[in-house]
Amino acid sequence: MQKLLLGDEAIAQAAIDAGMSGVYAYPGTPSTEITEYVQASKLAEERNIHSDWAANEKTAMEAALGMAYAGKRSMTCMKHVGLNVAADNFMNAAITGVNGGMVVVVADDPSMHSSQNEQDSRFYGKFAMIPVLEPSNQQEAYDMTYGAFELSEKYKVPVMIRVTTRIAHSRAGVITKELKPQNNQSLPSDPRQFVLLPSIARKQYKVLLGNQDHFNAESENSAYNHYFEGEDKSVGIIACGLGYNYLREILPEGDCKYPVLKVTQYPLPEKQVKQIANETEKLLVIEEGYPMVEEMIKGFLEKEPVTGRLDGTLPRDGELNADIVAAALGIQTGSKESKVPDFVANRPPSMCPGCSHIDVYNALNEALAAFGQGRVFSDIGCYTLGALEPFNAINTCVDMGASVTMAKGAADAGLVPAVTVIGDSTFTHSGMTGLLDAVNENSPITVIISDNESTSMTGGQDSSALGRLEAICQGLGVDPEHIRVLNPIKRNHDDMVKVMQEEFDYDGPSVIIPRRECIQKAARRRKMEAKQKAKS
């Protein structure tokens, strides 16, 4: 059967077809659509495949590992910076190994379309010493995911699939495979495998190290890594993942005079790399993200020069495209097609008209006016746009949850009042533990949890805090008298300013919850209600 699928959707469909029993994820562009596809799938519903959102990437990774412990096939999905959150469990999962197959999908975002950095998750895969698959198109995204569960179960280790934005969010025809049954529940054959006491961890680590030769052999013999002969030996091209797709856009197979090594499975196929190095005068490495392969082959080849992103032949940052690859090969494309049409307007990010965050920031700016600038620590979400004109309302945005802990540190340094702005979903993702620290030390910070009742920036998914924010804060130890709930609308502006100023004067941790449904989510809800009413 052939389906027209996004790269993310191809991964999701492949996981369902491969017998997956659960996907665990926290929404993050460009990975969100994987879980949403499973959530919308009738087949997944019939098979009772778990697909609820997790509180954050770490809990998602841990839950996926738990399902794999029980013998079922599981998948966890996240964007690249989410892997930082889940890194502790990710690294240790490589040591414990898995029982049922476990696939870790990480979607990188070169050019930072919706992210705070460009980090390359292949390094994490190399760091953990597990197999990494990097599809070059949507069909490979499907095929590799389908096969990744078998690879995971063959060596009892998690397998990473790394995609980038263009594959995740572009669509192509995908041929699907047969539907496999789900695994039966079973416990690990080694009952101590998952107990990482030092004596056991050392044993498990040797198992992982012992598998490295197998992983290398799998990569050398992989159907996805391929060497293409070429007559002109002046340049050999090593094209990784989506970089191979860009190469074939300008030099289709059969039209390329240079030898090409396609790399989409890691560890790096060293024999094939040495072959192309020995047969050509110099190498060009085309890879999306960091110059990982370029650095690696410079490390074990005696031959120079190797060119790519390190020497400036390709740009050191940002996305690749066919024109950039053509320029690196000295090919004049002159393609007008790649230029952005004039009718495509530049749309800088801004808050939606009527957004509740606007009223919160207007009140916050007035409440803090007497204290001066530099006191507002923000987190990641729609409200981060408060850094822009006309609000200029926030002073930091570092990582998920950092707003609360940074405000605490600033308060410890004497910066009082110190204010946190964080969303309801981000609060449960990583802000709760920071608030617990503040409660434990009675730190004088004011935490504004701007509650729009969803994870709005990624499409309006329900947050783990929905309907329970006050109870969570009280459970963490915040004095109930200093948990203040507001309705952030213009006519309540003066009341909001008054409440904020009162809490700034409080010598301890306080929480203000401005609560109003995201206007985009409200519009979709009203539209759905009208449609249902029309049917009835």
Side-chain angles (χ1 to χ4, degrees):
M1 179 184 296
Q2 187 169 32
K3 295 184 175 183
L4 188 62
L5 298 173
L6 295 175
D8 277 351
E9 294 171 343
I11 290 170
Q13 184 64 54
I16 295 170
D17 293 344
M20 177 184 71
S21 294
V23 59
Y24 296 86
Y26 181 82
T29 305
S31 68
T32 309
E33 290 82 359
I34 301 171
T35 303
E36 288 186 331
Y37 184 89
V38 178
Q39 290 173 335
S41 167
K42 291 183 179 178
L43 178 58
E45 184 179 1
E46 291 170 3
R47 305 192 115 203
N48 195 30
I49 295 175
H50 175 279
S51 60
D52 289 342
W53 295 107
N56 61 41
E57 294 85 355
K58 181 173 181 288
T59 63
M61 181 86 70
E62 290 162 348
L65 184 61
M67 179 169 275
Y69 168 90
K72 301 274 190 174
R73 290 185 167 185
S74 67
M75 185 163 74
T76 181
C77 313
M78 61 205 68
K79 65 183 301 177
H80 56 306
V81 291
L83 186 53
N84 297 335
V85 180
D88 193 11
N89 185 262
F90 175 71
M91 294 299 296
N92 288 336
I95 305 296
T96 65
V98 298
N99 186 21
M102 177 175 165
V103 174
V104 180
V105 182
V106 188
D108 291 353
D109 187 20
S111 282
M112 294 177 268
H113 297 285
S114 183
S115 306
Q116 57 269 50
N117 69 37
E118 276 199 5
Q119 72 187 54
D120 188 329
S121 298
R122 293 178 301 170
F123 278 95
Y124 264 119
K126 183 174 180 291
F127 190 21
M129 294 186 286
I130 63 171
V132 177
L133 305 173
E134 186 189 15
S136 65
N137 56 45
Q138 286 74 11
Q139 183 66 58
E140 282 192 347
Y142 178 92
D143 293 341
M144 287 179 166
T145 304
Y146 191 86
F149 289 99
E150 293 180 9
L151 185 63
S152 174
E153 290 178 354
K154 181 177 181 180
Y155 294 104
K156 295 189 176 301
V157 67
V159 172
M160 174 190 280
I161 293 179
R162 182 249 190 175
V163 294
T164 54
T165 307
R166 295 294 162 181
I167 280 193
H169 285 174
S170 59
R171 201 174 289 275
V174 172
I175 299 173
T176 61
K177 299 177 184 292
E178 64 174 330
L179 179 64
K180 292 186 175 181
Q182 293 170 284
N183 287 356
N184 293 323
Q185 187 186 99
S186 65
L187 291 177
S189 57
D190 180 358
R192 292 159 57 89
Q193 174 183 345
F194 285 80
V195 185
L196 291 185
L197 289 168
S199 61
I200 301 172
R202 284 192 283 270
K203 177 185 172 186
Q204 288 295 116
Y205 186 53
K206 289 184 183 298
V207 173
L208 178 64
L209 292 176
N211 271 328
Q212 297 306 303
D213 288 343
H214 298 300
F215 297 161
N216 286 329
E218 290 280 351
S219 186
E220 296 285 358
N221 299 315
S222 170
Y224 299 117
N225 291 338
H226 191 77
Y227 188 91
F228 299 88
E229 296 287 351
E231 296 177 357
D232 188 340
K233 307 294 186 183
S234 61
V235 178
I237 301 172
I238 299 176
C240 308
L242 187 58
Y244 177 78
N245 202 331
Y246 290 136
L247 175 68
R248 287 315 186 199
E249 280 189 39
I250 59 168
L251 293 173
E253 191 176 333
D255 291 346
C256 182
K257 61 183 180 181
Y258 307 113
V260 175
L261 174 59
K262 176 194 174 197
V263 177
T264 47
Q265 180 166 341
Y266 305 83
L268 200 61
E270 190 172 323
K271 290 180 182 176
Q272 291 172 312
V273 171
K274 286 183 175 176
Q275 179 185 353
I276 194 170
N278 291 334
E279 293 179 359
T280 58
E281 296 177 17
K282 66 177 181 179
L283 294 174
L284 171 66
V285 181
I286 303 172
E287 53 188 326
E288 189 93 276
Y290 292 175
M292 186 184 87
V293 170
E294 190 179 345
E295 285 185 350
M296 289 173 67
I297 61 176
K298 278 187 173 180
F300 67 74
L301 289 179
E302 297 179 356
K303 179 177 181 176
E304 296 283 357
V306 177
T307 61
R309 290 196 132 177
L310 278 181
D311 77 332
T313 303
L314 292 167
R316 182 66 176 81
D317 64 346
E319 286 185 296
L320 298 177
N321 59 43
D323 287 344
I324 292 173
V325 173
L329 290 166
I331 297 173
Q332 299 293 326
T333 59
S335 59
K336 296 180 181 178
E337 292 78 9
S338 62
K339 295 181 179 177
V340 178
D342 294 337
F343 61 83
V344 178
N346 185 27
R347 296 188 301 164
S350 63
M351 290 188 201
C352 303
C355 173
S356 62
H357 300 323
I358 294 174
D359 296 297
V360 173
Y361 281 130
N362 285 336
L364 179 60
N365 280 344
E366 184 172 329
L368 279 175
F371 299 98
Q373 298 291 316
R375 298 172 177 276
V376 182
F377 302 85
S378 179
D379 236 288
I380 295 170
C382 302
Y383 46 90
T384 311
L385 298 172
L388 306 177
E389 298 280 357
F391 308 104
N392 298 317
I394 67 171
N395 306 109
T396 71
C397 173
V398 177
D399 59 53
M400 299 278 271
S403 62
V404 182
T405 40
M406 288 184 70
K408 180 187 178 301
D412 292 342
L415 187 71
V416 179
V419 183
T420 289
V421 178
I422 190 169
D424 49 313
S425 179
T426 310
F427 176 69
T428 52
H429 179 285
S430 299
M432 292 167 55
T433 48
L435 181 57
L436 182 59
D437 282 352
V439 169
N440 287 339
E441 299 186 36
N442 196 40
S443 301
I445 65 171
T446 302
V447 178
I448 297 176
I449 306 175
S450 200
D451 181 10
N452 57 13
E453 301 183 330
S454 69
T455 314
S456 300
M457 199 170 193
T458 51
Q461 299 82 11
D462 286 345
S463 82
S464 297
L466 187 61
R468 296 184 295 166
L469 267 180
E470 296 93 313
I472 291 171
C473 293
Q474 192 170 340
L476 290 171
V478 180
D479 185 339
E481 291 187 3
H482 293 281
I483 301 174
R484 313 284 291 271
V485 180
L486 305 172
N487 182 8
I489 55 177
K490 284 184 179 178
R491 68 169 177 267
N492 291 340
H493 175 82
D494 291 343
D495 289 340
M496 293 169 64
V497 173
K498 180 173 179 290
V499 168
M500 289 178 181
Q501 290 173 335
E502 288 173 355
E503 295 307 325
F504 295 162
D505 290 337
Y506 173 59
D507 187 22
S510 64
V511 172
I512 298 173
I513 305 174
R515 175 174 293 138
R516 180 152 62 86
E517 185 180 19
C518 167
I519 62 167
Q520 297 293 344
K521 184 179 181 182
R524 290 194 294 270
R525 176 178 53 76
R526 286 194 290 269
K527 187 176 180 181
M528 185 65 70
E529 289 172 352
K531 190 178 291 184
Q532 291 174 344
K533 186 176 180 181
K535 287 182 179 178
S536 60

